[in-house]
Structures are given as structure tokens and as C-alpha cells.
Coordinates of all heavy atoms in Angstrom, one line a residue:
M633 N 7.7 4.6 -16.3 CA 8.0 4.4 -14.9 C 9.2 5.0 -14.4 O 10.2 5.1 -15.1 CB 8.2 2.8 -14.8 CG 7.1 1.9 -15.1 SD 6.0 1.6 -13.7 CE 6.5 0.1 -13.1
A634 N 9.1 5.7 -13.2 CA 10.3 6.4 -12.6 C 10.3 6.1 -11.1 O 9.2 5.8 -10.5 CB 10.2 7.9 -12.9
E635 N 11.4 6.1 -10.6 CA 11.5 5.9 -9.2 C 11.4 7.2 -8.4 O 12.0 8.2 -8.7 CB 13.0 5.3 -9.0 CG 13.1 4.3 -7.9 CD 14.4 3.6 -7.7 OE1 15.4 4.4 -7.7 OE2 14.4 2.4 -7.7
H636 N 10.7 7.2 -7.3 CA 10.5 8.3 -6.5 C 10.8 8.0 -5.0 O 10.4 7.0 -4.5 CB 9.0 8.7 -6.5 CG 8.4 8.9 -7.9 ND1 8.6 10.2 -8.4 CD2 8.0 8.2 -8.8 CE1 8.1 10.2 -9.7 NE2 7.7 8.9 -9.9
L637 N 11.5 8.9 -4.4 CA 11.8 8.8 -2.9 C 10.5 9.3 -2.2 O 10.1 10.4 -2.4 CB 13.0 9.8 -2.6 CG 13.2 9.9 -1.1 CD1 13.7 8.6 -0.6 CD2 14.3 10.9 -0.9
V638 N 10.0 8.3 -1.5 CA 8.6 8.6 -0.9 C 8.6 8.7 0.6 O 7.7 9.3 1.3 CB 7.6 7.6 -1.4 CG1 7.3 7.8 -2.8 CG2 8.1 6.2 -1.0
A639 N 9.6 8.2 1.3 CA 9.5 8.2 2.8 C 10.8 7.7 3.4 O 11.7 7.1 2.5 CB 8.3 7.4 3.2
K640 N 11.0 7.7 4.6 CA 11.9 7.1 5.4 C 11.4 5.8 5.9 O 10.3 5.8 6.4 CB 12.5 8.0 6.5 CG 13.0 9.3 6.0 CD 14.4 9.0 5.4 CE 15.1 10.4 5.1 NZ 16.3 10.1 4.3
T641 N 12.3 4.7 6.2 CA 11.8 3.5 6.8 C 11.2 3.8 8.1 O 10.3 3.2 8.6 CB 12.9 2.4 6.7 OG1 14.0 3.0 7.4 CG2 13.2 2.0 5.3
S642 N 11.8 4.7 8.9 CA 11.5 5.0 10.2 C 10.0 5.5 10.3 O 9.3 5.6 11.4 CB 12.5 6.0 10.9 OG 12.5 7.1 10.0
E643 N 9.5 6.0 9.1 CA 8.1 6.5 9.0 C 6.9 5.5 8.8 O 5.8 5.9 8.8 CB 8.0 7.5 8.1 CG 9.0 8.7 8.2 CD 8.9 9.7 7.0 OE1 8.9 9.2 5.8 OE2 9.0 11.0 7.2
V644 N 7.4 4.3 8.5 CA 6.4 3.3 8.2 C 6.6 2.2 9.3 O 7.3 1.3 9.4 CB 6.8 2.5 6.8 CG1 5.6 1.7 6.4 CG2 6.9 3.5 5.7
A645 N 5.6 2.3 10.2 CA 5.6 1.4 11.3 C 5.0 0.1 11.0 O 4.3 0.0 9.9 CB 4.8 2.0 12.4
E646 N 5.6 -1.0 11.6 CA 5.0 -2.3 11.3 C 3.6 -2.4 11.6 O 3.0 -1.9 12.6 CB 5.8 -3.3 12.1 CG 5.8 -4.7 11.5 CD 7.0 -5.6 11.9 OE1 8.2 -5.0 12.0 OE2 6.9 -6.7 12.4
D647 N 2.8 -3.0 10.6 CA 1.4 -3.2 10.9 C 0.7 -1.9 10.8 O -0.5 -1.9 11.3 CB 1.1 -4.0 12.0 CG 1.6 -5.5 11.8 OD1 1.8 -5.9 10.6 OD2 1.8 -6.1 12.8
E648 N 1.1 -0.8 10.4 CA 0.4 0.4 10.2 C 0.7 1.1 8.9 O 1.8 1.6 8.7 CB 0.9 1.3 11.5 CG -0.2 2.5 11.7 CD 0.3 3.2 12.9 OE1 0.5 2.6 14.0 OE2 0.5 4.4 12.8
P649 N -0.3 1.1 8.0 CA 0.1 1.6 6.6 C 0.2 3.1 6.7 O -0.3 3.8 7.5 CB -1.2 1.2 5.9 CG -2.2 0.6 6.7 CD -1.7 0.5 8.1
K650 N 1.1 3.6 5.7 CA 1.3 5.0 5.6 C 0.9 5.4 4.2 O 1.4 4.9 3.2 CB 2.8 5.4 5.9 CG 3.2 6.8 5.7 CD 4.4 7.1 6.0 CE 4.9 8.5 5.6 NZ 4.1 9.6 6.4
R651 N 0.1 6.6 4.1 CA -0.2 7.1 2.8 C 0.8 8.1 2.4 O 1.2 9.0 3.2 CB -1.6 7.7 2.9 CG -2.0 8.3 1.4 CD -3.4 8.6 1.5 NE -3.7 9.8 2.3 CZ -4.4 10.8 1.9 NH1 -5.0 10.8 0.7 NH2 -4.5 12.0 2.5
V652 N 1.4 8.0 1.1 CA 2.1 9.1 0.5 C 1.5 9.6 -0.8 O 0.8 8.7 -1.5 CB 3.7 8.6 0.3 CG1 4.3 8.3 1.6 CG2 3.7 7.4 -0.6
I653 N 1.8 10.7 -1.2 CA 1.4 11.2 -2.5 C 2.5 11.4 -3.4 O 3.5 12.0 -3.2 CB 0.7 12.6 -2.3 CG1 -0.4 12.7 -1.2 CG2 0.0 13.2 -3.6 CD1 -1.7 12.2 -1.5
V654 N 2.3 10.9 -4.6 CA 3.5 11.1 -5.7 C 2.8 11.6 -6.9 O 1.9 10.9 -7.5 CB 4.1 9.7 -6.0 CG1 5.1 10.0 -7.1 CG2 4.8 9.1 -4.9
G655 N 3.0 12.9 -7.1 CA 2.2 13.4 -8.3 C 0.7 13.5 -7.9 O 0.4 14.0 -6.9
D656 N 0.0 12.9 -8.8 CA -1.5 12.7 -8.6 C -1.9 11.3 -8.1 O -3.0 11.0 -8.0 CB -2.4 13.1 -9.7 CG -2.1 12.3 -11.0 OD1 -1.2 11.4 -10.9 OD2 -2.7 12.6 -12.0
Q657 N -0.9 10.5 -7.7 CA -1.1 9.2 -7.2 C -1.1 9.0 -5.7 O -0.1 9.5 -5.1 CB 0.0 8.3 -7.7 CG 0.1 8.2 -9.2 CD -0.5 6.9 -9.7 OE1 -1.1 6.1 -8.9 NE2 -0.2 6.4 -10.9
Q658 N -2.0 8.4 -5.2 CA -2.0 8.2 -3.7 C -1.5 6.7 -3.6 O -2.2 5.8 -4.1 CB -3.4 8.3 -3.1 CG -3.8 9.8 -3.3 CD -5.3 9.9 -2.7 OE1 -5.5 9.7 -1.6 NE2 -6.2 10.4 -3.5
I659 N -0.4 6.6 -2.8 CA 0.2 5.3 -2.6 C 0.2 4.9 -1.0 O 0.3 5.8 -0.2 CB 1.6 5.3 -3.0 CG1 1.8 5.9 -4.4 CG2 2.3 4.0 -2.9 CD1 1.2 5.0 -5.6
A660 N -0.1 3.6 -0.9 CA 0.0 3.2 0.6 C 1.2 2.4 0.7 O 1.6 1.4 -0.1 CB -1.3 2.3 0.9
L661 N 1.9 2.6 1.9 CA 3.1 1.8 2.1 C 2.8 1.0 3.4 O 2.2 1.4 4.2 CB 4.3 2.8 2.5 CG 4.8 3.9 1.4 CD1 5.8 4.7 2.0 CD2 5.3 3.1 0.1
Y662 N 3.5 -0.2 3.3 CA 3.2 -1.0 4.4 C 4.7 -1.6 4.9 O 5.6 -1.9 4.1 CB 2.5 -2.4 4.0 CG 1.2 -1.9 3.2 CD1 1.3 -1.7 1.7 CD2 0.0 -1.8 3.8 CE1 0.2 -1.4 1.1 CE2 -1.0 -1.4 3.1 CZ -1.1 -1.3 1.8 OH -2.2 -1.0 1.0
N663 N 4.7 -2.0 6.1 CA 5.8 -2.6 6.6 C 5.4 -4.1 7.1 O 4.8 -4.1 8.2 CB 6.5 -1.8 7.8 CG 7.7 -2.5 8.4 OD1 8.0 -3.6 8.4 ND2 8.4 -1.6 9.2
L664 N 5.8 -5.0 6.4 CA 5.4 -6.4 6.9 C 6.8 -7.1 7.3 O 7.6 -7.4 6.5 CB 4.9 -7.2 5.7 CG 3.5 -6.8 5.2 CD1 3.1 -7.8 4.1 CD2 2.4 -6.8 6.3
D665 N 7.0 -7.4 8.6 CA 8.1 -8.0 9.1 C 9.4 -7.3 8.7 O 10.4 -8.0 8.2 CB 8.1 -9.4 8.7 CG 7.0 -10.2 9.3 OD1 6.5 -9.8 10.4 OD2 6.4 -11.1 8.7
G666 N 9.4 -6.0 8.5 CA 10.6 -5.2 8.2 C 10.9 -5.0 6.7 O 11.7 -4.4 6.2
E667 N 9.8 -5.7 5.8 CA 9.9 -5.5 4.4 C 8.9 -4.5 4.0 O 7.8 -4.4 4.4 CB 9.6 -6.7 3.6 CG 10.6 -7.8 3.8 CD 11.9 -7.6 2.8 OE1 11.8 -7.0 1.7 OE2 13.0 -7.9 3.3
I668 N 9.3 -3.6 3.1 CA 8.4 -2.5 2.7 C 7.7 -2.8 1.4 O 8.4 -3.3 0.5 CB 9.1 -1.1 2.6 CG1 9.9 -0.8 3.7 CG2 8.1 0.0 2.1 CD1 9.1 -0.5 5.0
Y669 N 6.5 -2.6 1.3 CA 5.6 -2.9 0.2 C 4.7 -1.6 -0.2 O 4.4 -0.8 0.7 CB 4.6 -4.0 0.4 CG 5.4 -5.4 0.6 CD1 5.7 -5.7 1.9 CD2 5.8 -6.2 -0.4 CE1 6.4 -6.9 2.1 CE2 6.5 -7.3 -0.1 CZ 6.9 -7.7 1.1 OH 7.6 -8.9 1.3
A670 N 4.4 -1.5 -1.5 CA 3.5 -0.4 -1.9 C 2.5 -0.8 -2.8 O 2.6 -1.7 -3.7 CB 4.4 0.6 -2.7
T671 N 1.2 -0.2 -2.6 CA 0.1 -0.5 -3.4 C -0.6 0.8 -3.7 O -0.4 1.8 -3.0 CB -0.9 -1.4 -2.8 OG1 -1.6 -0.7 -1.6 CG2 -0.4 -2.7 -2.3
D672 N -1.6 0.9 -4.6 CA -2.4 1.9 -4.7 C -3.1 2.1 -3.3 O -3.4 1.1 -2.5 CB -3.6 1.6 -5.7 CG -3.3 2.4 -7.0 OD1 -2.8 3.3 -7.0 OD2 -4.0 1.6 -8.0
D673 N -3.5 3.4 -3.0 CA -4.0 3.7 -1.7 C -5.5 3.6 -1.7 O -6.3 3.4 -0.8 CB -3.6 5.1 -1.1 CG -4.2 5.2 0.2 OD1 -4.1 4.3 1.1 OD2 -4.7 6.4 0.5
I674 N -6.1 3.8 -3.0 CA -7.5 3.8 -3.1 C -8.0 2.4 -3.5 O -7.6 1.8 -4.4 CB -7.9 4.8 -4.2 CG1 -7.3 6.2 -3.9 CG2 -9.5 4.9 -4.4 CD1 -7.8 6.7 -2.5
C675 N -9.1 2.0 -2.8 CA -9.6 0.7 -2.9 C -10.3 0.5 -4.4 O -10.7 1.4 -4.8 CB -10.8 0.5 -1.8 SG -11.5 -1.1 -1.9
T676 N -10.2 -0.7 -4.9 CA -10.7 -0.8 -6.3 C -12.3 -1.0 -6.2 O -13.0 -1.1 -7.2 CB -10.2 -2.2 -6.9 OG1 -10.5 -3.4 -6.0 CG2 -8.7 -2.0 -7.1
H677 N -13.0 -1.2 -5.0 CA -14.3 -1.3 -4.9 C -15.0 0.0 -4.9 O -16.1 0.1 -5.7 CB -14.6 -2.1 -3.6 CG -16.1 -2.4 -3.3 ND1 -16.7 -1.9 -2.2 CD2 -17.0 -2.9 -4.1 CE1 -18.0 -2.3 -2.3 NE2 -18.2 -2.8 -3.4
A678 N -14.7 1.0 -4.1 CA -15.3 2.4 -4.2 C -14.2 3.2 -3.6 O -13.1 2.9 -3.6 CB -16.5 2.3 -3.2
Y679 N -14.5 4.5 -3.2 CA -13.5 5.4 -2.9 C -13.3 5.4 -1.3 O -14.0 6.0 -0.6 CB -13.9 6.9 -3.3 CG -12.7 7.7 -3.4 CD1 -11.9 7.8 -4.5 CD2 -12.4 8.6 -2.2 CE1 -10.7 8.5 -4.5 CE2 -11.3 9.3 -2.2 CZ -10.5 9.3 -3.4 OH -9.3 10.2 -3.4
A680 N -12.2 4.6 -1.0 CA -11.8 4.7 0.4 C -10.2 4.5 0.4 O -9.6 3.9 -0.5 CB -12.4 3.3 1.0
S681 N -9.7 5.1 1.4 CA -8.3 5.2 1.6 C -7.8 3.8 2.5 O -8.1 3.7 3.6 CB -7.8 6.3 2.2 OG -6.3 6.4 2.5
L682 N -7.0 3.0 1.8 CA -6.6 1.7 2.3 C -5.6 2.0 3.5 O -5.5 1.2 4.3 CB -6.0 0.8 1.4 CG -7.1 0.2 0.2 CD1 -6.4 -0.5 -0.8 CD2 -8.2 -0.6 1.0
S683 N -4.9 3.1 3.4 CA -4.0 3.4 4.5 C -4.8 3.7 5.9 O -4.1 3.8 6.8 CB -3.1 4.5 4.1 OG -3.8 5.8 3.8
E684 N -6.0 3.8 5.7 CA -6.8 4.0 7.0 C -7.3 2.6 7.4 O -8.2 2.6 8.2 CB -7.9 5.1 6.8 CG -7.3 6.4 6.7 CD -8.3 7.5 6.2 OE1 -9.5 7.3 6.3 OE2 -7.8 8.5 5.7
G685 N -7.0 1.6 6.7 CA -7.5 0.3 7.1 C -6.7 -0.5 8.0 O -5.8 0.1 8.7
Y686 N -6.8 -1.8 8.1 CA -6.1 -2.7 9.0 C -5.3 -3.8 8.3 O -5.9 -4.3 7.4 CB -7.3 -3.2 9.9 CG -8.2 -2.2 10.3 CD1 -9.4 -2.0 9.8 CD2 -8.0 -1.2 11.3 CE1 -10.3 -1.1 10.0 CE2 -8.7 -0.3 11.8 CZ -10.0 -0.2 11.1 OH -10.9 0.8 11.4
I687 N -4.2 -3.9 8.8 CA -3.3 -5.1 8.3 C -3.6 -6.2 9.1 O -3.6 -6.3 10.3 CB -1.8 -4.7 8.4 CG1 -1.5 -3.4 7.5 CG2 -0.9 -5.9 7.9 CD1 -0.1 -3.0 7.6
E688 N -3.9 -7.4 8.4 CA -4.3 -8.7 9.1 C -3.6 -9.8 8.2 O -4.0 -10.0 7.1 CB -5.7 -8.7 9.2 CG -6.1 -9.6 10.5 CD -7.5 -9.7 10.4 OE1 -8.4 -8.7 10.7 OE2 -8.1 -10.8 10.3
D689 N -2.8 -10.5 8.8 CA -2.1 -11.7 8.0 C -1.7 -11.4 6.6 O -2.0 -12.1 5.7 CB -3.2 -12.9 7.9 CG -3.6 -13.3 9.2 OD1 -2.8 -13.3 10.2 OD2 -4.7 -14.0 9.4
G690 N -0.9 -10.3 6.5 CA -0.4 -10.0 5.2 C -1.4 -9.2 4.2 O -1.0 -9.1 3.1
C691 N -2.6 -9.0 4.6 CA -3.6 -8.5 3.9 C -4.0 -7.1 4.4 O -3.8 -6.8 5.7 CB -4.8 -9.2 3.8 SG -4.7 -10.8 3.0
I692 N -4.4 -6.2 3.6 CA -4.9 -4.8 4.1 C -6.5 -5.0 4.0 O -7.1 -5.5 3.0 CB -4.5 -3.6 3.2 CG1 -5.0 -2.5 3.7 CG2 -4.7 -3.9 1.8 CD1 -4.4 -2.0 5.2
E693 N -7.1 -4.6 5.1 CA -8.6 -4.6 5.1 C -9.2 -3.2 4.9 O -8.7 -2.3 5.7 CB -9.1 -5.2 6.4 CG -10.7 -5.3 6.5 CD -11.1 -5.7 7.8 OE1 -10.6 -6.6 8.4 OE2 -12.0 -5.0 8.4
C694 N -9.9 -3.0 3.8 CA -10.5 -1.7 3.6 C -11.5 -1.3 4.7 O -12.2 -2.0 5.1 CB -11.3 -1.8 2.4 SG -12.0 -0.1 1.9
P695 N -11.3 0.1 5.2 CA -12.0 0.6 6.3 C -13.4 0.8 5.9 O -14.3 0.9 6.8 CB -11.3 1.9 6.5 CG -10.7 2.4 5.3 CD -10.3 1.1 4.5
L696 N -13.8 0.8 4.6 CA -15.2 1.1 4.2 C -16.1 -0.2 4.2 O -17.3 -0.1 4.9 CB -15.2 1.8 3.0 CG -16.6 2.6 2.5 CD1 -16.9 3.5 3.7 CD2 -16.4 3.3 1.2
H697 N -15.7 -1.2 3.5 CA -16.7 -2.4 3.5 C -15.9 -3.7 3.8 O -16.5 -4.7 3.5 CB -17.3 -2.6 2.0 CG -18.0 -1.3 1.5 ND1 -17.5 -0.6 0.5 CD2 -19.1 -0.6 2.0 CE1 -18.3 0.5 0.3 NE2 -19.3 0.5 1.1
A698 N -14.7 -3.5 4.4 CA -13.9 -4.6 4.8 C -13.5 -5.6 3.8 O -13.1 -6.7 4.1 CB -14.7 -5.4 5.9
G699 N -13.4 -5.1 2.4 CA -12.7 -5.8 1.5 C -11.3 -6.1 1.9 O -10.7 -5.2 2.4
M700 N -10.7 -7.1 1.4 CA -9.3 -7.5 1.8 C -8.4 -7.8 0.4 O -8.9 -8.3 -0.6 CB -9.3 -8.9 2.5 CG -10.1 -8.8 3.7 SD -9.3 -8.3 5.2 CE -8.2 -9.7 5.6
F701 N -7.2 -7.3 0.4 CA -6.3 -7.4 -0.6 C -4.9 -7.9 0.0 O -4.5 -7.5 1.1 CB -6.0 -6.1 -1.2 CG -7.1 -5.4 -1.9 CD1 -7.9 -4.5 -1.1 CD2 -7.5 -5.6 -3.1 CE1 -8.9 -3.8 -1.7 CE2 -8.6 -5.1 -3.8 CZ -9.3 -4.1 -3.0
D702 N -4.3 -8.8 -0.7 CA -3.0 -9.3 -0.4 C -2.0 -8.1 -0.5 O -2.0 -7.6 -1.7 CB -2.7 -10.5 -1.2 CG -1.3 -11.0 -0.7 OD1 -0.2 -10.5 -0.9 OD2 -1.4 -12.2 -0.2
I703 N -1.3 -7.8 0.5 CA -0.4 -6.6 0.2 C 0.8 -6.9 -0.7 O 1.2 -6.1 -1.5 CB 0.1 -6.2 1.7 CG1 -1.1 -5.6 2.5 CG2 1.3 -5.3 1.7 CD1 -0.6 -5.4 3.9
K704 N 1.3 -8.2 -0.7 CA 2.4 -8.4 -1.6 C 2.1 -8.4 -3.0 O 2.6 -8.1 -3.9 CB 3.1 -9.7 -1.1 CG 3.8 -9.6 0.2 CD 4.4 -10.9 0.7 CE 5.0 -10.8 2.0 NZ 5.6 -11.9 2.5
T705 N 0.8 -9.0 -3.3 CA 0.4 -9.2 -4.7 C -0.7 -8.3 -5.2 O -0.9 -8.3 -6.4 CB -0.1 -10.7 -4.9 OG1 -1.2 -10.9 -4.1 CG2 1.1 -11.7 -4.4
G706 N -1.4 -7.7 -4.3 CA -2.5 -6.9 -4.6 C -3.9 -7.8 -5.0 O -4.9 -7.2 -5.3
K707 N -3.8 -9.1 -4.8 CA -4.8 -9.9 -5.2 C -6.0 -9.6 -4.3 O -5.9 -9.6 -3.1 CB -4.4 -11.4 -5.0 CG -3.9 -11.9 -6.2 CD -5.0 -13.1 -6.7 CE -4.8 -13.4 -8.2 NZ -5.4 -12.7 -9.2
A708 N -7.2 -9.3 -5.0 CA -8.4 -9.2 -4.2 C -8.9 -10.7 -3.5 O -8.8 -11.6 -4.2 CB -9.6 -8.9 -5.2
Q709 N -9.2 -10.6 -2.3 CA -9.5 -11.8 -1.6 C -10.9 -12.2 -1.5 O -11.2 -13.2 -0.9 CB -8.9 -11.6 0.0 CG -7.5 -11.3 0.1 CD -6.5 -12.4 -0.5 OE1 -6.6 -13.4 0.1 NE2 -5.9 -12.2 -1.6
G710 N -11.8 -11.7 -2.3 CA -13.1 -12.1 -2.4 C -14.1 -10.7 -2.1 O -13.7 -9.8 -1.8
V711 N -15.4 -11.1 -2.3 CA -16.4 -10.0 -2.2 C -16.2 -9.2 -0.9 O -15.8 -9.9 0.2 CB -17.9 -10.6 -2.2 CG1 -18.1 -11.0 -3.8 CG2 -18.1 -11.7 -1.3
P712 N -16.5 -8.0 -0.9 CA -17.0 -7.1 -2.0 C -15.9 -6.9 -3.0 O -16.3 -6.2 -3.9 CB -17.5 -6.0 -1.3 CG -16.7 -5.7 -0.2 CD -16.3 -7.1 0.3
V713 N -14.7 -7.1 -2.8 CA -13.7 -6.7 -3.8 C -13.3 -7.7 -4.9 O -13.2 -8.9 -4.5 CB -12.3 -6.2 -3.1 CG1 -12.5 -4.9 -2.5 CG2 -11.8 -7.2 -2.2
T714 N -13.5 -7.4 -6.1 CA -13.3 -8.4 -7.2 C -12.1 -8.0 -8.1 O -11.5 -8.8 -8.8 CB -14.5 -8.5 -8.1 OG1 -14.8 -7.2 -8.4 CG2 -15.7 -9.1 -7.3
E715 N -11.7 -6.7 -8.1 CA -10.6 -6.2 -8.9 C -9.3 -6.0 -7.9 O -9.4 -5.5 -7.0 CB -11.0 -4.8 -9.4 CG -10.1 -4.4 -10.5 CD -10.5 -2.9 -10.9 OE1 -11.7 -2.6 -11.0 OE2 -9.6 -2.2 -11.3
D716 N -8.3 -6.7 -8.5 CA -7.0 -6.6 -7.8 C -6.4 -5.1 -7.7 O -6.8 -4.4 -8.4 CB -5.9 -7.3 -8.6 CG -6.2 -8.9 -8.5 OD1 -7.2 -9.4 -7.9 OD2 -5.6 -9.6 -9.3
L717 N -5.6 -5.0 -6.7 CA -5.1 -3.6 -6.4 C -3.7 -3.6 -7.1 O -3.0 -4.6 -7.2 CB -4.8 -3.6 -4.9 CG -4.6 -2.4 -4.2 CD1 -5.9 -1.4 -4.3 CD2 -4.5 -2.6 -2.6
R718 N -3.3 -2.5 -7.5 CA -2.0 -2.2 -8.3 C -0.9 -2.3 -7.2 O -1.1 -1.6 -6.1 CB -1.9 -0.9 -9.0 CG -2.5 -1.0 -10.5 CD -2.0 0.1 -11.3 NE -2.4 1.3 -10.6 CZ -1.9 2.5 -11.0 NH1 -1.1 2.6 -12.2 NH2 -2.2 3.7 -10.4
T719 N 0.1 -2.9 -7.5 CA 1.3 -2.9 -6.5 C 2.5 -2.3 -7.3 O 2.4 -2.1 -8.5 CB 1.7 -4.3 -6.2 OG1 2.1 -5.1 -7.4 CG2 0.6 -5.0 -5.5
F720 N 3.4 -1.8 -6.6 CA 4.6 -1.1 -7.1 C 5.9 -1.6 -6.6 O 6.0 -2.0 -5.4 CB 4.4 0.5 -6.9 CG 3.2 1.1 -7.3 CD1 2.1 1.1 -6.5 CD2 3.0 1.6 -8.7 CE1 0.9 1.8 -6.9 CE2 1.9 2.2 -9.1 CZ 0.7 2.3 -8.2
P721 N 7.0 -1.7 -7.4 CA 8.1 -2.1 -6.9 C 8.7 -1.0 -5.9 O 8.7 0.0 -6.1 CB 9.0 -2.1 -8.1 CG 8.1 -2.1 -9.3 CD 6.9 -1.4 -8.9
V722 N 9.3 -1.7 -4.9 CA 9.9 -0.9 -3.9 C 11.4 -1.1 -3.7 O 11.8 -2.3 -3.9 CB 9.3 -1.2 -2.4 CG1 9.9 -0.5 -1.3 CG2 7.8 -0.8 -2.5
R723 N 12.2 -0.2 -3.5 CA 13.7 -0.3 -3.3 C 14.0 0.5 -2.0 O 13.6 1.7 -1.8 CB 14.5 0.2 -4.4 CG 15.9 0.1 -4.3 CD 16.7 0.3 -5.5 NE 16.7 1.7 -5.9 CZ 17.6 2.7 -5.3 NH1 18.4 2.2 -4.5 NH2 17.5 3.9 -5.7
V724 N 14.7 -0.1 -1.0 CA 15.1 0.6 0.1 C 16.6 0.7 0.0 O 17.4 -0.3 -0.2 CB 14.7 -0.3 1.4 CG1 15.1 0.3 2.7 CG2 13.2 -0.3 1.4
D725 N 17.0 2.0 0.3 CA 18.4 2.3 0.3 C 18.9 3.0 1.6 O 18.5 4.1 1.7 CB 18.8 3.2 -1.0 CG 20.3 3.4 -1.1 OD1 20.9 2.9 -0.3 OD2 20.6 4.4 -2.1
G726 N 19.4 2.3 2.5 CA 19.6 2.9 3.8 C 18.3 3.0 4.5 O 17.5 2.0 4.6
D727 N 18.0 4.3 4.8 CA 16.7 4.6 5.5 C 15.7 5.2 4.5 O 14.6 5.5 4.7 CB 17.0 5.7 6.5 CG 15.7 5.9 7.3 OD1 14.9 5.0 7.6 OD2 15.5 7.0 8.0
D728 N 16.1 5.2 3.1 CA 15.2 5.8 2.1 C 14.3 4.8 1.4 O 14.9 3.8 1.0 CB 16.0 6.6 1.1 CG 16.7 7.7 1.7 OD1 16.3 8.3 2.6 OD2 17.8 8.1 1.1
I729 N 13.1 5.1 1.2 CA 12.2 4.1 0.5 C 11.9 4.8 -0.9 O 11.4 5.9 -1.0 CB 10.9 4.0 1.3 CG1 11.1 3.3 2.6 CG2 9.9 3.1 0.5 CD1 9.8 3.4 3.5
Y730 N 12.2 4.0 -1.9 CA 11.9 4.5 -3.3 C 10.8 3.5 -3.9 O 10.9 2.4 -3.7 CB 13.1 4.3 -4.2 CG 14.3 5.2 -3.9 CD1 15.2 4.9 -2.9 CD2 14.3 6.5 -4.5 CE1 16.1 5.8 -2.5 CE2 15.5 7.3 -4.2 CZ 16.3 7.0 -3.2 OH 17.4 7.7 -2.8
V731 N 9.8 4.2 -4.6 CA 8.8 3.4 -5.3 C 8.8 3.6 -6.7 O 8.9 4.9 -7.1 CB 7.4 3.8 -4.8 CG1 6.3 3.0 -5.4 CG2 7.4 3.3 -3.2
E732 N 8.7 2.6 -7.5 CA 8.7 2.8 -9.0 C 7.3 3.0 -9.4 O 6.4 2.1 -9.2 CB 9.4 1.7 -9.6 CG 9.7 2.0 -11.1 CD 10.6 0.8 -11.6 OE1 11.8 0.4 -10.9 OE2 10.3 0.3 -12.6
I733 N 7.0 4.1 -10.0 CA 5.6 4.4 -10.4 C 5.5 4.8 -11.9 O 6.4 5.7 -12.3 CB 5.0 5.5 -9.5 CG1 4.9 5.1 -8.2 CG2 3.5 5.9 -10.1 CD1 4.6 6.1 -7.1
Ligands
FES906 S1 -14.5 0.6 -0.7 FE1 -13.1 -0.8 -0.1 S2 -14.3 -2.6 0.2 FE2 -15.7 -1.1 -0.5

């Protein structure tokens, strides 16, 4: 596990996920009430980018089949998604967002 500088807080709008690439990993960043969270960007159901999905009540809705995951825990919220999403520790230092991957 290593910490990576991935974005500035000003780049992650509230309720609008942002995709960042770290090595060969695609990560989605979220701003929920000013707190930054990070998950895998690729849905566990099929190949879809969750950063193109919609944030609703603390969950990310997949744009392909509308599967939902809790952004803070990665918990799958029910069919069609059954496998939880990986989440990553986030540290914010000033305007810098670091994700541990
Ligand atoms: S690919 Fe995300 S719900 Fe199917």
C-alpha cells in the first residue's frame, strides 16, 4: 500500500464523481458533504465506470444496470450487484487529496 496524490479538492465537486488513474487502477473520488471518499471506479457487476454514474443518498448508482453501492463502505446494495466495491483510505492535506492504494 502506498499513498498517491490524485487530485485537488477543488476538482471533486459535491455529488459529482471524478475518475482518476493511479498506475493501472481506475479510482472514483466522491465528495459527500465536503468529505472525500475513494472506491474502485469499475463496477463489480460488469464493466462500467462508476464515475459516470449518479450519487444518491450516499450511494453511487452504476450507469449501466443501476446497481448501487454505499460510497463510504463499498457495500453492494442488492441485485444486480452482489459483490462489494473496494474502498481506499483518503487523506486530505490542504487542497491535496491522497489515496492509499
Ligand atoms: S455493470 Fe454496474 S450494475 Fe451492471
